[in-house]
Amino acid sequence: MSTYDVGIIGGGPGGYVAAIKAAQLGGTVCLIEKGEWGGTCLNRGCIPTKTLFSVATLATQIQDAAAFGIQTRDTAIDYTQVLAHKSSVVQRLTGGIAQLLKGNGVHTINGTASLVNKNRIAVGKEARLQTAPTESLVNKNRIAVLKSDGTTEQVDAKNVIIATGSEPAEPPMFDIDETQVLTTTGILNLSELPESLIIVGGGVSGCEFASIFNALGCRVTVLELLPTILATEDVQIIRHIQLFMKRKGIQIHTGAKLTQVKKTETHVTAVLASGEELTAEKMLISIGRRFNTEGIGLEQVGVRTDAGKIRVDSRMQTNMPGIYAVGDVASRYLLAHVASAEGKVAAQNCLGETATMDYQVIPWCVFTLPEIGHVGMTEKEATDEGYEVKVGRFPYAANGIALGMRETDGFVKTIADAESGDVLGVHIVGAHASTLIHEAAVAIRAGAAVQDIAHTVHAHPTLSEMVMESAEAAFGKAIHSLSSG
């Protein structure tokens, strides 16, 4: 029987990164995953979705090719080939993770797991509890695992990291069948493009899929219960993206309460509280996620949860010493890059170092068309916290390379403390916003002022110049814009 410094349940972006980090620190590590390496993000989330986004972006550019002087004829989307491309990307990355784990000396097990007692992990048939868990905690540091080949194994671990992730929420009223009524997992497995699609939920995932399938030729309708889509974004960003999506032909219904879903052999209908009925070929349910904390023995070992989520401190440790949790099951943000950061923190603490998780500078990226990127406070959040703010805006339409790319829709918005000049938040909507936002993230983390960005020479012609000019605009000093707002 093997003894490890760290036993990890779940091989997603929190779990596998924690495993590699712990191994780099000299620890012996066992990583257990019931499915594919990379978890939801790589196999059913971030990567396949953003691969489709890349296809949608290219399709949009081809549709505009004539404006560049490029003539295209008989262009069409071969969705079978699109899916093949998506699958090849996923397979390459899952294989890459397997090689990284092997190269770092991480012992890996494919199977279900349960914590048996303080320091033992069991892998095998005897791990299967009456609740039929995938990975189950039976006692503080012993994990029982049912391996994929049906055999059993037990390993001991001084520390345990739970990284079991989340799955799409499936409220019963929607009668999800993954054929007509789909989750964000099911829509990635469609073999053909639907002619029309209703998306229930106007959050990040809902709006991303709306942009993707609209660009691929589907008629898309978004239903959002709240007064606005993308409610966590800055209000000016929301207004801009909503107008742009509507201009692209996406129907958006806010304040829309769904009361019934009706299905026929070929279509699905959403019945709203207002009495309005909307019909499409498919329906996507994108209204949140449920945490994978049931059936893994948390109650048995005394790990505290709150509304299904594991409670942790800044070191990612639960109330039980030696048991940590990272990623969706414990994090305040359901973001893969946050899960990875938390995994590194937990691994360091498992190996005797002292590390804490800092959530003050977390970049957010929304892969709509155009993209959204933000870091730090919104203007409202800053004023609500008592800051007197200066706000600078710089439009894509005033940027040379954006004009050359025909990507003139969008702007960069910088929010600064009026007294100190400290950067409080940066919000970008436009082409490559997901890349541009990281300069602002570094600035905020370093405690930089807008003057530090404004006085840093930026190469010309680049999109990055807009970040500099937005910083200049916060104090009315932008060179290529007459207005700061």
Side-chain angles (χ1 to χ4, degrees):
M1 185 181 300
S2 303
T3 301
Y4 296 90
D5 293 313
V6 187
I8 303 171
I9 304 175
Y16 86 77
V17 169
I20 293 172
K21 183 65 175 180
Q24 290 175 341
L25 293 172
T28 54
V29 186
C30 178
L31 176 63
I32 305 158
E33 166 58 46
K34 67 176 181 178
E36 309 89 351
W37 302 120
T40 293
C41 174
L42 175 48
N43 295 279
R44 301 174 297 282
C46 321
I47 298 302
T49 302
K50 277 53 180 184
T51 300
L52 290 183
F53 171 79
S54 297
V55 175
T57 301
L58 180 58
T60 301
Q61 293 169 338
I62 291 172
Q63 291 163 10
D64 197 35
F68 289 91
I70 301 173
Q71 300 302 319
T72 57
R73 296 181 178 85
D74 302 323
T75 58
I77 293 172
D78 182 347
Y79 200 61
T80 300
Q81 184 58 37
V82 171
L83 294 178
H85 172 56
K86 172 178 71 73
S87 297
S88 69
V89 172
V90 171
Q91 289 170 6
R92 180 169 181 173
L93 290 174
T94 53
I97 290 173
Q99 289 301 312
L100 287 170
L101 293 169
K102 182 179 179 180
N104 281 279
V106 176
H107 178 61
T108 59
I109 303 175
N110 288 109
T112 59
S114 57
L115 194 61
V116 177
N117 60 34
K118 181 178 179 182
N119 296 104
R120 179 160 294 171
I121 302 170
V123 186
K125 292 181 180 179
E126 69 264 22
R128 190 175 293 276
L129 307 180
Q130 291 183 354
T131 53
T134 51
E135 294 108 349
S136 300
L137 304 178
V138 181
N139 208 311
K140 182 175 176 290
N141 291 97
R142 182 169 293 173
I143 304 176
V145 183
L146 172 61
K147 295 174 69 175
S148 55
D149 62 5
T151 61
T152 64
E153 182 178 345
Q154 288 193 350
V155 292
D156 290 349
K158 299 174 184 176
N159 300 277
V160 171
I161 300 176
I162 304 167
T164 47
S166 66
E167 299 292 338
E170 298 185 20
M173 73 163 288
F174 294 110
D175 189 21
I176 294 171
D177 55 20
E178 298 293 24
T179 300
Q180 285 182 293
V181 182
L182 309 156
T183 64
T184 53
T185 297
I187 198 167
L188 293 170
N189 295 324
L190 286 178
S191 59
E192 296 180 353
L193 274 172
E195 179 273 331
S196 54
L197 176 67
I198 293 172
I199 299 177
V200 181
V204 171
S205 292
C207 287
E208 288 183 347
F209 279 112
S211 290
I212 290 168
F213 281 90
N214 170 260
L216 296 180
C218 299
R219 177 169 53 84
V220 178
T221 301
V222 177
L223 306 179
E224 171 54 55
L225 180 62
L226 296 176
T228 180
I229 60 171
L230 297 169
T232 58
E233 296 297 328
D234 185 89
V235 65
Q236 290 181 318
I237 299 289
I238 295 171
R239 289 171 184 163
H240 186 90
I241 197 70
Q242 183 161 307
L243 286 172
F244 187 86
M245 290 172 72
K246 287 182 176 179
R247 200 158 68 236
K248 285 291 186 179
I250 299 172
Q251 295 186 37
I252 299 174
H253 298 256
T254 55
K257 183 178 181 180
L258 188 63
T259 59
Q260 186 182 1
V261 175
K262 299 189 294 187
K263 292 191 287 188
T264 67
E265 290 185 2
T266 57
H267 289 83
V268 58
T269 298
V271 181
L272 304 183
S274 63
E276 185 177 5
E277 295 190 1
L278 302 167
T279 299
E281 185 179 339
K282 305 286 185 183
M283 176 182 284
L284 168 64
I285 308 302
S286 179
I287 56 173
R289 301 184 68 82
R290 57 182 176 84
F291 312 117
N292 292 331
T293 53
E294 292 185 6
I296 58 174
L298 298 180
E299 299 85 356
Q300 293 171 253
V301 296
V303 172
R304 294 174 186 164
T305 60
D306 184 10
K309 181 172 283 194
I310 299 172
R311 295 172 59 179
V312 295
D313 60 20
S314 61
R315 300 175 66 245
M316 306 313 299
Q317 186 169 242
T318 69
N319 61 297
M320 300 297 293
I323 298 183
Y324 299 78
V326 303
D328 289 4
V329 290
S331 180
R332 66 179 72 177
Y333 301 118
L334 306 191
L335 297 169
H337 48 285
V338 174
S340 294
E342 292 169 342
K344 293 175 186 177
V345 168
Q348 288 173 274
N349 289 312
C350 287
L351 271 298
E353 297 188 3
T354 300
T356 57
M357 185 62 197
D358 180 7
Y359 294 102
Q360 293 186 45
V361 185
I362 302 295
W364 288 69
C365 302
V366 185
F367 290 85
T368 46
L369 289 167
E371 296 177 18
I372 299 170
H374 89 244
V375 65
M377 300 180 189
T378 65
E379 184 177 351
K380 183 178 186 303
E381 288 170 342
T383 55
D384 285 350
E385 289 200 18
Y387 287 99
E388 181 182 347
V389 301
K390 291 284 189 180
V391 177
R393 277 170 47 107
F394 191 84
Y396 272 63
N399 178 265
I401 198 67
L403 284 165
M405 296 165 60
R406 288 183 58 84
E407 293 285 3
T408 56
D409 197 86
F411 59 88
V412 180
K413 177 177 180 178
T414 299
I415 302 156
D417 181 356
E419 182 178 352
S420 67
D422 288 349
V423 182
L424 301 178
V426 176
H427 304 261
I428 306 173
V429 56
H432 303 292
S434 62
T435 299
L436 296 173
I437 197 61
H438 292 91
E439 176 181 355
V442 173
I444 294 174
R445 183 166 181 80
V450 287
Q451 292 88 343
D452 294 312
I453 297 177
H455 296 163
T456 299
V457 177
H458 286 60
H460 175 76
T462 64
L463 295 177
S464 298
E465 291 176 280
M466 294 185 294
V467 180
M468 174 187 69
E469 297 229 40
S470 175
E472 292 176 334
F475 287 88
K477 301 296 184 182
I479 298 298
H480 294 98
S481 175
L482 293 176
S483 173
S484 64

